[in-house]
Protein backbone atom coordinates (compact mmCIF):
# COMPACT_ATOMS: atom_id res chain seq x y z
CA UNK A 1 0.00 0.00 0.00
CA UNK A 2 1.16 3.55 -0.57
CA UNK A 3 0.38 6.46 1.68
CA UNK A 4 1.37 10.11 1.33
CA UNK A 5 2.93 11.39 4.55
CA UNK A 6 2.07 15.10 4.82
CA UNK A 7 4.68 15.66 7.55
CA UNK A 8 7.69 14.29 5.65
CA UNK A 9 6.09 15.20 2.29
CA UNK A 10 7.12 11.77 1.11
CA UNK A 11 5.41 8.72 -0.28
CA UNK A 12 5.48 5.77 2.10
CA UNK A 13 5.20 2.19 0.91
CA UNK A 14 4.22 -0.52 3.36
CA UNK A 15 3.77 -4.24 2.89
CA UNK A 16 0.42 -5.83 3.69
CA UNK A 17 1.81 -9.32 3.15
CA UNK A 18 5.14 -11.10 3.38
CA UNK A 19 7.66 -10.23 0.67
CA UNK A 20 10.23 -12.73 -0.60
CA UNK A 21 13.87 -11.66 -0.87
CA UNK A 22 14.42 -10.18 -4.32
CA UNK A 23 10.70 -10.05 -5.13
CA UNK A 24 9.80 -7.14 -7.41
CA UNK A 25 7.42 -4.59 -5.89
CA UNK A 26 4.66 -2.93 -7.90
CA UNK A 27 2.27 -0.07 -7.37
CA UNK A 28 -1.10 0.53 -8.96
CA UNK A 29 -2.19 3.32 -11.32
CA UNK A 30 -5.87 2.53 -10.97
CA UNK A 31 -8.23 0.80 -8.56
CA UNK A 32 -6.95 -2.79 -8.41
CA UNK A 33 -10.34 -4.07 -7.24
CA UNK A 34 -12.30 -3.27 -10.40
CA UNK A 35 -12.55 -5.59 -13.41
CA UNK A 36 -9.74 -6.03 -15.95
CA UNK A 37 -11.49 -4.19 -18.81
CA UNK A 38 -12.16 -1.18 -16.53
CA UNK A 39 -8.57 -1.20 -15.27
CA UNK A 40 -7.18 -1.32 -18.81
CA UNK A 41 -9.51 1.55 -19.75
CA UNK A 42 -8.18 3.63 -16.83
CA UNK A 43 -4.60 2.91 -17.88
CA UNK A 44 -5.05 4.21 -21.44
CA UNK A 45 -3.94 7.80 -20.63
CA UNK A 46 -0.66 6.38 -19.28
CA UNK A 47 0.03 4.78 -22.63
CA UNK A 48 0.81 1.24 -21.53
CA UNK A 49 -0.90 -2.09 -21.39
CA UNK A 50 -0.66 -3.65 -17.95
CA UNK A 51 0.68 -7.19 -17.96
CA UNK A 52 0.45 -8.00 -14.26
CA UNK A 53 -0.80 -11.42 -13.28
CA UNK A 54 -4.38 -10.20 -12.78
CA UNK A 55 -4.47 -8.51 -16.18
CA UNK A 56 -2.94 -11.55 -17.89
CA UNK A 57 -5.64 -13.87 -16.50
CA UNK A 58 -8.87 -11.83 -16.62
CA UNK A 59 -11.20 -14.83 -16.52
CA UNK A 60 -9.72 -15.85 -13.15
CA UNK A 61 -9.02 -12.43 -11.68
CA UNK A 62 -12.43 -11.00 -12.61
CA UNK A 63 -14.12 -14.02 -11.07
CA UNK A 64 -12.28 -13.44 -7.79
CA UNK A 65 -13.45 -9.83 -7.82
CA UNK A 66 -17.02 -10.94 -8.39
CA UNK A 67 -16.73 -13.45 -5.55
CA UNK A 68 -15.47 -10.70 -3.30
CA UNK A 69 -18.64 -8.71 -4.02
CA UNK A 70 -16.52 -5.85 -5.32
CA UNK A 71 -18.43 -2.55 -5.35
CA UNK A 72 -21.41 -4.18 -3.61
CA UNK A 73 -22.01 -3.49 0.07
CA UNK A 74 -21.26 -6.67 1.99
CA UNK A 75 -24.72 -6.92 3.49
CA UNK A 76 -24.71 -10.71 3.39
CA UNK A 77 -21.54 -10.88 5.44
CA UNK A 78 -22.75 -8.28 7.95
CA UNK A 79 -25.94 -10.26 8.30
CA UNK A 80 -23.91 -13.37 9.07
CA UNK A 81 -22.24 -11.57 11.96
CA UNK A 82 -25.52 -10.19 13.30
CA UNK A 83 -27.23 -13.60 13.12
CA UNK A 84 -24.31 -15.12 15.02
CA UNK A 85 -24.45 -12.41 17.70
CA UNK A 86 -28.20 -12.71 18.18
CA UNK A 87 -28.59 -16.50 18.07
CA UNK A 88 -27.72 -18.27 21.30
CA UNK A 89 -26.00 -21.59 20.74
CA UNK A 90 -24.76 -20.67 17.23
CA UNK A 91 -20.96 -21.22 17.39
CA UNK A 92 -18.38 -18.66 16.24
CA UNK A 93 -17.46 -21.01 13.37
CA UNK A 94 -20.57 -19.62 11.63
CA UNK A 95 -18.65 -16.36 11.14
CA UNK A 96 -15.07 -17.62 11.43
CA UNK A 97 -15.18 -20.31 8.70
CA UNK A 98 -16.69 -17.93 6.17
CA UNK A 99 -14.36 -15.02 6.95
CA UNK A 100 -11.25 -17.24 6.88
CA UNK A 101 -12.33 -18.58 3.51
CA UNK A 102 -12.82 -15.00 2.20
CA UNK A 103 -9.40 -13.98 3.55
CA UNK A 104 -7.81 -16.91 1.73
CA UNK A 105 -9.53 -15.96 -1.51
CA UNK A 106 -8.27 -12.39 -1.20
CA UNK A 107 -4.75 -13.58 -0.36
CA UNK A 108 -4.69 -15.85 -3.41
CA UNK A 109 -5.60 -12.86 -5.56
CA UNK A 110 -2.95 -10.71 -3.85
CA UNK A 111 -5.59 -8.15 -2.88
CA UNK A 112 -4.71 -7.81 0.80
CA UNK A 113 -5.06 -4.05 0.41
CA UNK A 114 -8.77 -4.54 -0.21
CA UNK A 115 -11.36 -3.00 2.07
CA UNK A 116 -12.91 -6.48 2.29
CA UNK A 117 -9.75 -7.92 3.75
CA UNK A 118 -9.89 -5.42 6.64
CA UNK A 119 -13.58 -6.07 7.06
CA UNK A 120 -13.19 -9.83 7.44
CA UNK A 121 -10.34 -9.36 9.91
CA UNK A 122 -12.72 -7.14 11.90
CA UNK A 123 -15.50 -9.75 11.70
CA UNK A 124 -13.06 -12.29 13.19
CA UNK A 125 -12.21 -9.88 16.01
CA UNK A 126 -15.93 -9.32 16.65
CA UNK A 127 -16.73 -13.04 16.66
CA UNK A 128 -13.86 -13.98 18.97
CA UNK A 129 -14.63 -11.07 21.31
CA UNK A 130 -18.24 -12.24 21.48
CA UNK A 131 -17.15 -15.64 22.79
CA UNK A 132 -14.47 -14.14 25.04
CA UNK A 133 -11.53 -15.70 23.17
CA UNK A 134 -8.78 -13.19 24.01
CA UNK A 135 -5.96 -15.01 22.21
CA UNK A 136 -7.74 -15.30 18.86
CA UNK A 137 -9.28 -11.82 19.09
CA UNK A 138 -5.79 -10.39 19.64
CA UNK A 139 -4.32 -12.26 16.65
CA UNK A 140 -6.84 -10.75 14.23
CA UNK A 141 -6.88 -7.34 15.89
CA UNK A 142 -3.10 -7.17 15.45
CA UNK A 143 -3.47 -8.03 11.78
CA UNK A 144 -6.29 -5.52 11.27
CA UNK A 145 -4.22 -2.84 12.99
CA UNK A 146 -1.12 -3.61 10.91
CA UNK A 147 -3.21 -3.29 7.76
CA UNK A 148 -4.64 0.01 8.96
CA UNK A 149 -1.12 1.35 9.59
CA UNK A 150 -0.04 0.19 6.12
CA UNK A 151 -2.89 2.16 4.61
CA UNK A 152 -2.78 5.35 6.60
CA UNK A 153 0.48 5.41 8.55
CA UNK A 154 0.49 5.97 12.30
CA UNK A 155 2.24 4.37 15.23
CA UNK A 156 2.09 0.74 16.26
CA UNK A 157 -0.12 0.19 19.32
CA UNK A 158 1.35 -1.60 22.33
CA UNK A 159 0.19 -5.08 23.31
CA UNK A 160 -1.33 -3.51 26.42
CA UNK A 161 -3.45 -1.14 24.33
CA UNK A 162 -4.59 -3.96 22.02
CA UNK A 163 -5.53 -6.07 25.03
CA UNK A 164 -7.53 -3.14 26.41
CA UNK A 165 -9.30 -2.77 23.04
CA UNK A 166 -10.33 -6.43 23.17
CA UNK A 167 -11.54 -6.36 26.75
CA UNK A 168 -13.42 -3.11 26.20
CA UNK A 169 -14.88 -4.22 22.87
CA UNK A 170 -18.64 -3.69 22.72
CA UNK A 171 -19.03 -7.39 21.84
CA UNK A 172 -16.87 -8.66 24.70
CA UNK A 173 -18.45 -11.90 26.02
CA UNK A 174 -21.66 -10.90 24.29
CA UNK A 175 -22.72 -14.49 23.60
CA UNK A 176 -22.67 -15.40 27.28
CA UNK A 177 -24.80 -12.32 28.01
CA UNK A 178 -27.36 -13.26 25.33
CA UNK A 179 -27.43 -16.82 26.56
CA UNK A 180 -27.93 -15.64 30.15
CA UNK A 181 -30.67 -13.17 29.20
CA UNK A 182 -32.55 -15.80 27.18
CA UNK A 183 -32.27 -18.29 30.01
CA UNK A 184 -33.49 -15.64 32.46
CA UNK A 185 -36.47 -14.94 30.21
CA UNK A 186 -37.34 -18.63 30.23
CA UNK A 187 -36.39 -19.46 26.66
CA UNK A 188 -34.24 -22.33 27.87
CA UNK A 189 -34.88 -25.02 30.38
ZN1 LIG B 1 -2.59 -5.27 -14.27
Amino acid sequence: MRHFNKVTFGMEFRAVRSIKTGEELFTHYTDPFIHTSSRQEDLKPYGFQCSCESCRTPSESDLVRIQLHVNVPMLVDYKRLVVFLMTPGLPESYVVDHSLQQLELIERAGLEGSHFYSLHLKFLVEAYCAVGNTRKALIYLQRAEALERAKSGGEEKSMKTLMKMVKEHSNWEWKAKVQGAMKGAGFYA
Side-chain angles (χ1 to χ4, degrees), residues 39-40 43 50-56:
R39 293 198 307 275
Q40 296 287 355
L43 295 178
C50 182
S51 59
C52 75
E53 201 184 320
S54 292
C55 290
R56 282 200 316 267

Side-chain angles (χ1 to χ4, degrees), residues 104-124:
E104 204 191 304
L105 187 71
I106 301 170
E107 283 164 13
R108 276 212 308 271
L111 294 174
E112 285 92 336
S114 146
H115 162 65
F116 305 108
Y117 199 75
S118 308
L119 212 53
H120 281 289
L121 287 175
K122 282 171 191 161
F123 286 158
L124 288 165

Side-chain angles (χ1 to χ4, degrees), residues 102-155:
Q102 290 296 104
L103 288 180
E104 204 191 304
L105 187 71
I106 301 170
E107 283 164 13
R108 276 212 308 271
L111 294 174
E112 285 92 336
S114 146
H115 162 65
F116 305 108
Y117 199 75
S118 308
L119 212 53
H120 281 289
L121 287 175
K122 282 171 191 161
F123 286 158
L124 288 165
V125 174
E126 297 232 9
Y128 282 121
C129 277
V131 293
N133 188 332
T134 315
R135 193 179 65 85
K136 292 274 192 167
L138 270 176
I139 289 174
Y140 294 107
L141 180 61
Q142 262 181 314
R143 284 178 59 183
E145 285 286 321
L147 200 58
E148 214 44 60
R149 279 200 310 282
K151 288 178 180 178
S152 48
E155 293 299 309

